[in-house]
Amino acid sequence: MKKISSILASLVFLSATFYLPAAHSADLKFSGPGGKIHGADISRWQHPNNKKINFVKMREAGIDFVMIKASDSRDDADQLAVKYLKTDRNGAQEAGIHTGFYHYAILPNVTTKAAIERDARVQAQKVIWRIGSIGGFNELDLPYALDIENTCIQLNSNKTCKKYATRTNATLWSKTFLKTLKEKTGRTPLIYSSPHFLENSLKRDKELAKYPLWIAQYTIDPAKPGAKPNVKSGGCFVHSWTTSQCSANWTVWQYTSCGIAPKYGVPGSRLDLNVFGGTLEKFESLLTGSWIPDAADEMPHNESSTITVTSYSATTSNKKVTINVDVKRPDNSPVVTGSVKYVFSELNLSIPTVTQTISRETSGTWKISIDGTPAGNWLGSVLFTDASGTHSEVSTPLDFTVLQGAAPTPSPTKKPAVKPPVDGCKNQIKN
């Protein structure tokens, strides 16, 4: 969550009046469990083999709103979100379905207040450009949502988490992101997460609690009288949205990830389903406040970039070469999209076969780890590229010397453990 060219490279702004909505909030069906407003959320996973979603069938099945993944902190996943954004939004709205959007967040591997806030503002800028690329918000658009469900900021080589953001830092980042988005667009964004994450990974915070909560908790059937999310054995989860009655002040509840996809015109077998927790008037309140981008909000195209190697380490052939890189915009702020890699020069007698691992530390800052570099004097450069076309390609020369290291001790071959199959839909609601 294969590399796909982004359509953002040739951005064309659409008028906010381009869409011809087929329905208004007064036409809501209230066909969800318990007579609630019913919704779904989709991403590129609902387009297996590039198949399209039948939004007319989705509407006929009673879906009143759909939350569309529109952006991601990671460039590869972000490009996949962009691929389907416009067609999904157009198709849903033409079928009379309200559309909202969400951004999947990866937190930065930094610890200072200024660096955390800077990264949050940069990721919010990506969202602002993304809204601008579809012409801003129209009368069938719900607000954007921050999808925060992971505080891992550094991985081990086996992809397990090595380091997590503190609750204080995760809370600061979330508040900064949400505030930036609200101030720019005039619409109050939602925050999406599980009650377990909210309790254990974010601090209780009055400012955070002002943002509507989209809560994810399965195995509880909203159709049953008195059913509600945020419950656990022996009480409730305690976080910023927990009320004095030990429930959660939620706005949207994702109650299953096992909806019967074909029933709603969605390719595949599974679909996330949601209910809206309120009245028609409360739903309509989320639709207020229009925002149309102006020239200053247009995503740059091939904007000039500067690249700096802030430090590097190259010692022996049995150790990794590490390179730390910063890439900035003309105003000295971090680039919003793109990534880096090390390129060995053709002037070398041979090009070594190595493994490069690129770790995003924070917006515009990466760490390159190169494994398997043979002993020798190596010529090359660090290259920044941006598949979205937002920032220009730029490189800087970097030569280094690697000495011969001790031969690695071969590790005994282990047979991979065979894990029993897991039923991801066990105990979930299958509507």
Side-chain angles (χ1 to χ4, degrees):
M1 276 179 147
K2 153 182 158 157
K3 185 174 180 182
I4 296 172
S5 297
S6 171
I7 59 175
L8 288 181
S10 55
L11 178 66
V12 177
F13 281 107
L14 303 176
S15 165
T17 59
F18 173 84
Y19 301 100
L20 299 175
H24 296 278
S25 54
D27 300 318
L28 296 175
K29 295 179 180 292
F30 288 86
S31 61
K36 296 180 175 64
I37 297 171
H38 209 195
D41 57 272
I42 59 174
S43 68
R44 58 105 163 180
W45 297 108
Q46 278 64 57
H47 293 277
N49 300 315
N50 212 31
K51 293 180 179 178
K52 294 183 178 180
I53 295 172
N54 185 339
F55 287 103
V56 172
K57 186 173 182 180
M58 180 181 286
R59 176 65 176 160
E60 290 172 348
I63 294 297
D64 285 314
F65 70 95
V66 61
M67 302 297 290
I68 303 169
K69 182 176 180 180
S71 52
D72 194 297
S73 299
R74 304 159 295 182
D75 266 25
D76 53 351
D78 189 62
Q79 290 170 47
L80 289 170
V82 170
K83 181 180 179 181
Y84 299 106
L85 171 60
K86 287 186 179 180
T87 54
D88 281 350
R89 187 216 198 189
N90 291 355
Q93 293 198 354
E94 286 167 4
I97 300 172
H98 293 79
T99 54
F101 315 95
Y102 69 93
H103 173 81
Y104 185 88
I106 300 293
L107 300 181
N109 186 11
V110 291
T111 55
T112 67
K113 182 176 184 290
I116 291 165
E117 291 176 330
R118 184 186 308 116
D119 182 84
R121 288 193 293 268
V122 171
Q123 289 202 44
Q125 180 63 66
K126 176 185 281 191
V127 169
I128 291 163
W129 283 342
R130 192 59 43 81
I131 303 168
S133 74
I134 57 173
F137 289 121
N138 66 34
E139 62 180 357
L140 283 182
D141 281 327
L142 295 163
Y144 227 96
L146 166 62
D147 177 350
I148 182 164
E149 51 188 283
N150 176 18
T151 58
C152 183
I153 57 176
Q154 187 177 353
L155 294 171
N156 290 304
S157 57
N158 63 358
K159 303 302 181 182
T160 59
C161 191
K162 182 177 182 179
K163 181 181 177 184
Y164 292 90
T166 65
R167 286 159 55 106
T168 297
N169 290 349
T171 304
L172 173 62
W173 189 97
S174 300
K175 290 197 301 182
T176 305
F177 177 95
L178 293 163
K179 181 181 180 182
T180 303
L181 201 52
K182 181 179 181 180
E183 287 177 346
K184 182 62 180 179
T185 66
R187 287 204 178 189
T188 302
L190 290 79
I191 182 169
Y192 165 92
S193 201
S194 70
H196 181 273
F197 182 93
L198 297 173
E199 180 179 72
N200 293 282
S201 299
L202 296 178
K203 296 185 72 174
R204 296 186 72 180
D205 187 277
K206 289 182 179 179
E207 181 183 338
L208 200 58
K210 294 178 181 178
Y211 296 95
L213 174 63
W214 176 12
I215 193 169
Q217 190 173 22
Y218 312 146
T219 76
I220 303 170
D221 190 348
K224 293 183 177 179
K228 59 182 180 180
N230 205 54
V231 297
K232 62 179 177 180
S233 179
C236 63
F237 292 91
V238 178
H239 47 74
S240 298
W241 293 266
T242 303
T243 69
S244 57
Q245 289 77 39
C246 201
S247 60
N249 184 19
W250 60 275
T251 298
V252 179
W253 174 9
Q254 186 186 76
Y255 67 91
T256 185
S257 65
C258 295
I260 304 167
K263 173 181 174 181
Y264 301 96
V266 175
S269 58
R270 294 172 57 172
L271 177 67
D272 294 343
L273 295 174
N274 306 266
V275 288
F276 180 80
T279 62
L280 172 63
E281 289 72 26
K282 187 175 179 182
F283 188 86
E284 287 179 331
S285 72
L286 294 179
L287 302 169
T288 57
S290 61
W291 179 72
I292 301 173
D294 55 31
D297 301 310
E298 182 175 349
M299 186 187 73
H301 175 61
N302 208 31
E303 179 184 76
S304 62
S305 314
T306 56
I307 185 169
T308 304
V309 174
T310 56
S311 65
Y312 75 96
S313 172
T315 54
T316 54
S317 58
N318 59 336
K319 295 184 178 180
K320 294 178 181 179
V321 175
T322 60
I323 307 167
N324 294 288
V325 186
D326 280 352
V327 185
K328 296 186 176 181
R329 302 177 63 192
D331 63 0
N332 211 38
S333 65
V335 290
V336 178
T337 52
S339 190
V340 297
K341 65 179 179 179
Y342 186 79
V343 180
F344 287 91
S345 170
E346 297 294 336
L347 297 176
N348 293 300
L349 296 177
S350 63
I351 304 298
T353 301
V354 298
T355 301
Q356 294 196 40
T357 302
I358 314 299
S359 302
R360 173 189 174 276
E361 302 290 287
T362 184
S363 295
T365 299
W366 292 269
K367 180 179 180 179
I368 305 173
S369 297
I370 310 174
D371 197 11
T373 310
N377 298 316
W378 298 104
L379 309 177
S381 60
V382 180
L383 174 67
F384 167 77
T385 56
D386 182 6
S388 76
T390 306
H391 309 292
S392 65
E393 181 176 295
V394 64
S395 66
T396 186
L398 179 64
D399 306 333
F400 55 82
T401 299
V402 174
L403 302 177
Q404 183 61 50
T409 304
S411 303
T413 304
K414 288 185 178 180
K415 253 188 169 180
V418 178
K419 297 181 178 179
V422 177
D423 180 5
C425 288
K426 185 179 181 181
N427 299 325
Q428 285 205 45
I429 313 302
K430 299 179 179 67
N431 278 350

